[in-house]
Amino acid sequence: MPDLRGRLKANAPMSEITWFRTGGPVELLFQPADADDLAAFLAAVPADVPVLVVGVGSNLLVRDGGVRGVVIRLSAKGFGRIDVLDGHRIRAGAAVPDKRLAAAARDAGIGGFHHYHGIPGSVGGALRMNAGANGVETQERVVEVHAVDRQGMRHVLTKDDMGYAYRHSSAPADLIFTEAIFQGYAEDKAVITKMMDEVQEHRETVQPIREKTGGSTFKNPPGSSAWKEVDKAGCRGLTIGGAQMSPMHCNFMINTGSASSHDLEMLGETVRTRVLDHSGIRLDWEIKRIGEYADGEEPVQPFLGRLL
Ligand SMILES: Cc1cc2nc3c(=O)[nH]c(=O)nc-3n(C[C@H](O)[C@H](O)[C@H](O)COP(=O)(O)OP(=O)(O)OC[C@H]3O[C@@H](n4cnc5c(N)ncnc54)[C@H](O)[C@@H]3O)c2cc1C
């Protein structure tokens, strides 16, 4: 290893990172001090060691057996900077919480970021997931993204390079986004504040935002909403172990207290299977599932093996 300035931790519990508060440990967690530190680390890690980046774990299910190799988590110190640029642009580090991006835009009188007030992830997660709400997606704001690849090489990507689709970017999977420039427009601060308040009020009434959850479990299928299909298949409130489809918003899975990641994944596949049987629709996971099953856990087959 080169002289690293960031923090390395062996056997770090991923349950302390994920919103679900479940999941086994990662072999090695690295929090780089800055982009140079990240690049030096990646260049030194042997090519056969798997490396994965996480944000704040608000769209992540880490299996109970934990994660092999290295998980990178960008620190607020090295990647948490926000700068307001000319022309209603904002540069934000990948560890900036979406909520802080929304607040910084409001303070600068820049419109187009109010929806981030309701998304509990980080800028890095928003860039990878094309996070969106209230009719706006990340792709509508992105101008330029800075990234480091698995070999430690730096890249600058345009919006087109990010290959955006609904909750998806086809930018190479090994890229770790470090910062991005976003484009907004002039807007009155009072108008933005009102929009942000509305976003928050709406969330409080329709989503279990104070629960241990991963947000929307499934992507909306073409022409419908995932929650409607889950509801029609009779899965609102469906429970397996400590995992439940939220009675409040039935496309949100929640850990009611004692769920394992296996309970949560089994619940998700059970719901997918019931929706398939009920309406013929194959729901796709929006939540990212990573890691290994724990000893004694049966691997969860897609659609519980029904389509094999
Ligand atoms: C209560 C609640 C409400 C939510 N509402 C919404 C919503 O309205 N709209 C919406 O789109 N999402 C929503 N989500 C889901 C989630 O907040 C978003 O997907 C968010 O963008 C994930 O960011 P994160 O930092 O938590 O990423 P993580 O969950 O940690 O990771 C998600 C993915 O992003 C990748 N990733 C993270 N950081 C980087 C990086 N720096 N470089 C490259 N890849 C990276 C990870 O590898 C992983 O594949 C909600 C979640 C919750 C819990």
Side-chain angles (χ1 to χ4, degrees):
M1 277 293 133
D3 285 339
L4 298 174
R5 287 170 289 116
R7 286 167 55 191
L8 280 167
K9 188 174 176 187
N11 282 319
M14 292 297 290
S15 56
E16 289 178 5
I17 292 178
T18 59
W19 265 60
F20 277 125
R21 289 287 178 254
T22 63
V26 60
E27 283 182 318
L28 194 65
L29 179 71
F30 180 51
Q31 288 190 277
D34 54 31
D36 288 338
D37 202 35
L38 172 63
F41 175 79
L42 290 168
V45 173
D48 60 345
V49 175
V51 173
L52 185 86
V53 63
V54 301
V56 294
S58 64
N59 214 207
L60 212 55
L61 184 62
V62 178
R63 295 192 177 104
D64 302 312
V67 184
R68 288 205 190 111
V70 178
V71 164
I72 308 264
R73 196 167 193 226
L74 304 182
S75 61
K77 202 168 165 216
F79 301 87
R81 195 182 154 130
I82 296 192
D83 297 300
V84 175
L85 310 177
D86 289 343
H88 308 111
R89 289 186 168 191
I90 299 181
R91 179 170 49 223
V96 168
D98 295 339
K99 269 181 193 293
R100 228 184 102 218
L101 175 58
R106 176 204 54 211
D107 294 347
I110 300 176
F113 294 85
H114 63 282
H115 58 289
Y116 283 129
H117 186 55
I119 304 179
S122 65
V123 163
L127 291 168
R128 176 54 76 186
M129 299 300 297
N130 189 17
N134 311 90
V136 193
E137 288 184 324
T138 296
Q139 63 171 326
E140 288 161 66
R141 297 285 163 261
V142 169
V143 177
E144 183 179 294
V145 179
H146 291 234
V148 181
D149 69 19
R150 177 63 185 78
Q151 286 75 43
M153 302 291 290
R154 308 283 197 109
H155 299 267
V156 180
L157 295 91
T158 63
K159 184 179 84 171
D160 287 347
D161 296 333
M162 294 295 285
Y164 278 126
Y166 169 53
R167 298 293 178 270
H168 178 75
S169 159
S170 57
D174 67 316
L175 289 184
I176 296 180
F177 307 129
T178 53
E179 65 174 32
I181 296 178
F182 298 92
Q183 179 72 60
Y185 49 85
E187 184 59 280
D188 187 80
K189 284 186 200 180
V191 172
I192 303 173
T193 302
K194 186 162 177 283
M195 289 166 97
M196 285 167 65
D197 288 347
E198 283 167 6
V199 163
Q200 185 62 25
E201 262 170 50
H202 181 66
R203 295 260 167 184
E204 298 268 357
T205 47
V206 301
Q207 293 182 356
I209 55 175
R210 311 214 181 281
E211 303 278 358
K212 297 173 192 141
T213 178
S216 293
T217 308
F218 306 111
K219 296 183 187 183
N220 288 327
S224 184
S225 300
W227 76 263
K228 282 186 190 154
E229 300 306 326
V230 173
D231 211 11
K232 278 195 273 177
C235 297
R236 184 182 288 271
L238 185 68
T239 302
I240 292 182
Q244 185 184 48
M245 297 313 292
S246 163
M248 186 185 206
H249 189 315
C250 61
N251 193 29
F252 277 48
M253 283 199 297
I254 52 178
N255 170 6
T256 58
S258 59
S260 62
S261 292
H262 197 259
D263 291 342
L264 290 157
E265 192 172 7
M266 269 300 286
L267 177 64
E269 285 302 337
T270 303
V271 171
R272 285 176 91 202
T273 311
R274 289 199 187 177
V275 169
L276 180 70
D277 289 347
H278 185 266
S279 59
I281 291 174
R282 296 182 188 202
L283 291 178
D284 286 331
W285 284 88
E286 180 170 324
I287 286 176
K288 301 279 186 194
R289 290 158 299 149
I290 62 168
E292 313 293 321
Y293 294 103
D295 289 347
E297 281 180 356
E298 280 288 313
V300 182
Q301 301 296 336
F303 297 101
L304 303 179
R306 182 79 54 92
L307 299 178
L308 294 180

